[in-house]
Amino acid sequence: MNMIKKVYFIFVLLISIVNQISAQEIQPIQTDRPDQTESPSITPKHQLQMEIGFVYEQENIITRNFTHANVLTKFGLSDRVELRLVTDYGTTQYSYNNSESSSSYLSPTLIGCKVAFFDEKGLRPKTSLILHLGLPFLANKSFKFDQVFTTYRFLMQHTLNDKLSLSYNIGAEWDGVSAQPAGIYTLAMGYGISSKIGSYIELYGSHQGKTTTHQYDMGFTYLINSDIQLDMSGGFGITKNAPDYFVGCGISFRTGH
């Protein structure tokens, strides 16, 4: 009888502990991938988050690109500021006149921050700003430009209902070569299929000088738990100068709580 009481006590204790843990709700990880639209959400204070992606892109009939690892590392400095580090390593392959060649690249490293401005209220979207500095000396030889360059984006998001959201970015990017920036835009509609599966469809593009590029893509995310998310995506070019198509996948995770 005493053994039965002990087992019952342990069972009740375990149920109580599980209920306490469940009551301490941890918000699911919020990521800037796999879409081109950056999220206005800030990485929680004192938490480290990494978002890693792999992409195959058919640029045109001659050129294709493999992104072996695009890595975004984020750290929550405060409730309204996160620090950011972006590295991008890949290979470009060329096929011409029955011959092939390839070259690997390490794009200029980006360092910067995301700053939260406003929470969502009525018609006012949740709003943040990303600022990056491009460091060409942290790149391979073909990307070692003469000067540090900058990029910025304003990030906005509306919650339409408990499953649907509308997000958009506007900004400008310098490349370290041309003094003229490229204006950029993104527009994404997100839909929560379930508590673990998300989806989106997106239009995005850029304008620099007389060149305008438009593309669209779509994708899915799968939340393994509150700290780990998998994703897959794919898209096509709309204008002639845009890449023909791409497919990609990735993983995001965070630590520190």
Side-chain angles (χ1 to χ4, degrees):
M1 191 67 174
N2 288 336
M3 181 61 68
I4 294 175
K5 286 182 179 180
K6 287 180 181 179
V7 171
Y8 178 76
F9 174 76
I10 292 172
F11 178 75
V12 171
L13 181 62
L14 287 173
I15 292 294
S16 176
I17 291 172
V18 169
N19 285 336
Q20 275 192 326
I21 293 173
S22 299
Q24 299 170 359
E25 291 188 4
I26 299 172
Q27 290 299 314
I29 186 172
Q30 299 290 317
T31 66
D32 289 328
R33 59 167 302 109
D35 57 3
Q36 307 300 312
T37 302
E38 308 276 32
S39 166
S41 297
I42 300 293
T43 301
K45 185 177 179 180
H46 297 162
Q47 291 186 25
L48 179 69
Q49 183 165 314
M50 295 189 72
E51 303 176 15
I52 305 170
F54 311 90
V55 179
Y56 169 78
E57 178 186 72
Q58 185 73 42
E59 189 170 330
N60 50 49
I61 196 171
I62 297 174
T63 308
R64 52 190 182 273
N65 302 306
F66 300 86
T67 300
H68 304 310
N70 172 268
V71 182
L72 168 59
T73 304
K74 307 192 291 187
F75 178 76
L77 189 63
S78 71
D79 292 335
R80 291 196 169 270
V81 179
E82 73 175 27
L83 303 180
R84 300 166 62 89
L85 176 70
V86 185
T87 57
D88 191 27
Y89 173 72
T91 299
T92 299
Q93 292 185 345
Y94 308 93
S95 300
Y96 187 71
N97 286 341
N98 295 321
S99 64
E100 290 193 359
S101 62
S102 65
S103 61
S104 296
Y105 62 86
L106 175 64
S107 298
T109 298
L110 301 177
I111 62 169
C113 64
K114 183 192 292 185
V115 181
F117 287 161
F118 309 115
D119 293 326
E120 186 174 1
K121 185 178 181 180
L123 294 178
R124 184 183 71 189
K126 185 174 185 177
T127 305
S128 298
L129 171 67
I130 286 179
L131 296 169
H132 280 146
L133 284 179
L135 307 178
F137 52 85
L138 294 178
N140 66 349
K141 189 173 182 180
S142 58
F143 281 87
K144 287 189 176 179
F145 309 131
D146 295 332
Q147 55 190 351
V148 172
F149 57 92
T150 60
T151 74
Y152 72 86
R153 288 190 186 205
F154 287 97
L155 327 171
M156 283 76 74
Q157 184 179 68
H158 297 274
T159 302
L160 304 181
N161 57 44
D162 60 349
K163 288 185 174 293
L164 202 61
S165 65
L166 177 67
S167 304
Y168 46 97
N169 296 173
I170 55 172
E173 298 179 346
W174 284 259
D175 59 11
V177 178
S178 172
Q180 186 176 45
I184 57 171
Y185 78 91
T186 72
L187 179 64
M189 184 71 74
Y191 179 74
I193 298 173
S194 71
S195 61
K196 288 186 173 293
I197 302 174
S199 64
Y200 75 91
I201 185 168
E202 178 182 45
L203 177 69
Y204 61 99
S206 64
H207 176 79
Q208 185 176 30
K210 297 181 179 180
T211 303
T212 300
T213 301
H214 300 291
Q215 298 173 253
Y216 74 92
D217 68 339
M218 61 190 68
F220 298 91
T221 60
Y222 179 71
L223 196 65
I224 294 178
N225 57 43
S226 61
D227 293 321
I228 305 174
Q229 178 179 279
L230 303 178
D231 65 68
M232 60 183 298
S233 58
F236 297 87
I238 298 174
T239 51
K240 283 187 176 181
N241 57 330
D244 292 344
Y245 67 88
F246 80 88
V247 291
C249 63
I251 182 172
S252 303
F253 57 90
R254 67 182 178 187
T255 62
H257 60 76

